[in-house]
């Protein structure tokens, strides 16, 4: 394979392991690399750029995500049975007592995303579940994230009113959510998503496989972007690579005071300049998260890998950063094109404003 730098019009040999890395993120696996050393646009650099414009930074450059203190991770589980009924629980909290909602709640220190999901379902519904896949990632600002999961019941008993506690009053299977007094309607889109996922045909190219968050620890929160573009002449697909230290997919530290879309746009300007090509985030390819570290020095960070599609052809796009375009092999080009064509071939990314 070769890579092309459109600024210098030179062809540059590209490390073959980048295609291996692309396969890994397409399959939801973690990348075995030091993300902190490969980050192209740190929070410190973002703040310096902001200050250069005479604007006070929204967050300290030494920001570190710590569960329960500086970052909020929430899990929401949409469990659907063979009758297409959804597992719902009745709230016990004083602020919304009696309302119905999906089993959901905040992750606790030391938990993984999957562990938190299984715990919330057990506490609020009495059922034990095996989490099988991530469905969506929702964000509000850069320090609140909700991971939508689904799975299968493997044991336990449905909680009844006689077992009411501070977690919930009761739980039940529900066919029509319109019959319930919901705590909020924000769950309706993800319920429909989970139902459609369950009804999908095996190996449907329009849907992602069952993929769980990859267990890899990060000290900070990162957004890794797989930017795809087509060559109008050959119809081949290229992906953008950064040349910093070693070839890698461009990576930016997530700004805790901005939305993911804002962080992404400012990063794209760093890569392409003010003449930014029309583009759109297609969805999330993978989530890397794991808690290791210690209570005094936790590693609560994560890395979201997002697929970004450039609408113009490669012939009309210029780069200003230390980046190159890498031409994919025919098979991988087709695989990525299939992911782009399928609306649900990636995890949905919802940005709450």
């Amino acid at each position: 394979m070769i890579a092309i730098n459109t600024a210098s019009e030179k062809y540059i040999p590209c490390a073959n392991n980048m295609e291996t890395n692309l396969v890994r993120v397409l399959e939801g696996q973690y990348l075995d690399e030091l993300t902190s050393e490969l980050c192209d646009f740190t929070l410190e650099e973002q703040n310096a750029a902001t200050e250069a414009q005479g604007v006070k930074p929204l967050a300290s450059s030494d920001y570190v995500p710590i569960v329960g203190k500086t970052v909020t991770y929430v899990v929401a589980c949409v469990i659907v049975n063979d009758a297409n009924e959804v597992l719902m629980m009745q709230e016990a909290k004083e602020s919304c007592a009696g309302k119905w909602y999906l089993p959901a709640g905040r992750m606790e220190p030391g938990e993984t995303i999957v562990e938190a999901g299984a715990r919330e379902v057990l506490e609020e519904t009495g059922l034990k579940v095996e989490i099988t896949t991530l469905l969506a990632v929702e964000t509000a600002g850069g320090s609140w994230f909700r991971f939508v999961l689904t799975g299968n019941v493997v044991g336990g008993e449905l909680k009844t009113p006689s077992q009411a506690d501070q977690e919930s009053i009761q739980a039940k299977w529900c066919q029509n959510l319109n019959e319930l007094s919901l705590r909020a309607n924000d769950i309706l889109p993800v319920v429909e998503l989970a139902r459609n996922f369950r009804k999908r045909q095996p190996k449907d190219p329009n849907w992602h496989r069952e993929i769980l968050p990859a267990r890899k620890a990060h000290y900070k929160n990162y957004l890794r972007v797989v930017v795809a573009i087509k060559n109008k002449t050959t119809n081949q697909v290229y992906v953008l690579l950064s040349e910093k230290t070693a070839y890698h997919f461009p990576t930016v530290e997530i700004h805790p005071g901005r939305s993911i879309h804002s962080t992404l746009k400012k990063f794209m300007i760093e890569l392409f300049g003010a003449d930014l090509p029309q583009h759109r985030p297609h969805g999330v390819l993978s989530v890397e998260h794991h808690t290791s570290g210690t209570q005094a020095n936790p590693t609560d960070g994560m890395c979201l890998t997002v697929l970004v599609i450039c609408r113009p052809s490669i012939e009309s796009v210029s780069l200003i950063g230390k980046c190159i375009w890498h031409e994919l092999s025919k098979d991988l080009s087709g695989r990525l094109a299939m992911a782009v064509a399928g609306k649900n071939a990636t995890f949905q990314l919802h940005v709450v404003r």
Side-chain angles (χ1 to χ4, degrees):
M1 286 295 100
I2 58 174
I4 181 172
N5 185 323
T6 55
S8 61
E9 297 182 350
K10 293 180 180 179
Y11 291 90
I12 307 169
C14 181
N16 289 331
N17 70 346
M18 291 315 303
E19 294 220 350
T20 300
N21 282 351
L22 180 56
V23 171
R24 288 185 65 85
V25 296
L26 287 173
E27 294 178 351
Q29 301 177 37
Y30 69 85
L31 297 189
D32 189 16
E33 58 187 26
L34 292 176
T35 313
S36 58
E37 293 186 2
L38 298 177
C39 183
D40 299 287
F41 201 27
T42 65
L43 185 54
E44 183 178 4
E45 291 168 331
Q46 294 174 57
N47 283 344
T50 298
E51 289 178 320
Q53 297 173 346
V55 180
K56 185 178 179 180
L58 297 173
S60 172
S61 295
D62 60 0
Y63 167 82
V64 176
I66 301 174
V67 168
K69 294 181 179 180
T70 62
V71 71
T72 300
Y73 296 142
V74 177
V75 290
C77 297
V78 195
I79 310 299
V80 183
N81 64 17
D82 291 337
N84 204 33
E85 297 170 323
V86 180
L87 181 62
M88 300 290 290
M89 67 90 183
Q90 192 172 29
E91 296 279 9
K93 293 192 292 287
E94 184 177 349
S95 60
C96 52
K99 301 290 186 178
W100 291 84
Y101 206 66
L102 293 172
R106 297 187 178 194
M107 284 174 55
E108 298 177 355
E111 280 187 317
T112 66
I113 296 168
V114 170
E115 290 168 348
R119 174 185 55 78
E120 287 291 347
V121 175
L122 180 60
E123 289 177 350
E124 297 182 344
T125 73
L127 298 182
K128 297 179 180 179
V129 295
E130 177 189 15
I131 303 298
T132 57
T133 190
L134 182 70
L135 289 176
V137 178
E138 301 173 323
T139 77
S143 60
W144 186 96
F145 301 85
R146 183 162 73 168
F147 305 96
V148 181
L149 307 161
T150 190
N152 301 311
V153 175
V154 295
E157 295 183 359
L158 206 61
K159 181 183 281 190
T160 64
S162 64
Q163 299 169 311
D165 55 22
Q166 62 181 8
E167 300 295 338
S168 65
I169 297 173
Q170 63 176 319
K172 71 175 181 178
W173 293 99
C174 182
Q175 179 72 239
N176 184 4
L177 270 59
N178 292 325
E179 297 175 351
L180 301 178
S181 177
L182 298 178
R183 189 184 95 190
N185 290 330
D186 65 327
I187 63 173
L188 296 179
V190 294
V191 166
E192 181 181 7
L193 178 66
R195 280 173 160 166
N196 290 335
F197 180 81
R198 187 177 178 88
K199 291 186 294 185
R200 79 198 189 287
Q201 296 297 316
K203 297 183 179 180
D204 184 343
N206 293 310
W207 281 95
H208 60 79
R209 299 181 298 105
E210 291 186 342
I211 298 176
L212 294 172
R215 294 168 68 96
K216 181 180 177 180
H218 292 275
Y219 184 61
K220 297 289 194 81
N221 279 346
Y222 298 102
L223 183 66
R224 180 191 294 132
V225 292
V226 175
V227 182
I229 196 168
K230 270 194 173 183
N231 183 306
K232 186 177 181 180
T233 305
T234 65
N235 211 35
Q236 281 294 102
V237 176
Y238 288 69
V239 293
L240 190 65
L241 300 181
S242 171
E243 296 182 278
K244 179 181 179 180
T245 309
Y247 286 121
H248 64 279
F249 297 116
T251 304
V252 58
E253 187 176 345
I254 295 175
H255 196 296
R258 297 194 183 112
S259 72
I260 288 288
H261 281 169
S262 178
T263 293
L264 176 60
K265 183 176 180 179
K266 289 181 181 298
F267 185 40
M268 293 289 281
I269 292 174
E270 282 292 309
L271 300 173
F272 294 92
D275 190 18
L276 189 61
Q278 190 176 8
H279 64 281
R280 64 179 176 86
H282 185 273
V284 177
L285 292 172
S286 68
V287 176
E288 298 176 3
H289 171 268
H290 187 53
T291 54
S292 55
T294 64
Q295 186 173 0
N297 189 30
T299 53
D300 291 337
M302 64 170 178
C303 181
L304 301 179
T305 303
V306 174
L307 177 60
V308 176
I309 310 303
C310 275
R311 297 186 187 277
S313 63
I314 193 171
E315 293 90 341
S316 60
V317 173
S318 299
L319 302 172
I320 64 168
K322 292 184 177 180
C323 291
I324 57 173
W325 290 111
H326 173 68
E327 180 184 3
L328 296 178
S329 65
K330 185 176 181 180
D331 288 345
L332 197 48
S333 179
R335 184 170 177 180
L336 190 59
M338 190 176 296
V340 173
K343 178 183 176 182
N344 294 298
T346 57
F347 304 126
Q348 291 192 7
L349 176 63
H350 298 154
V351 178
V352 181
R353 298 185 183 277

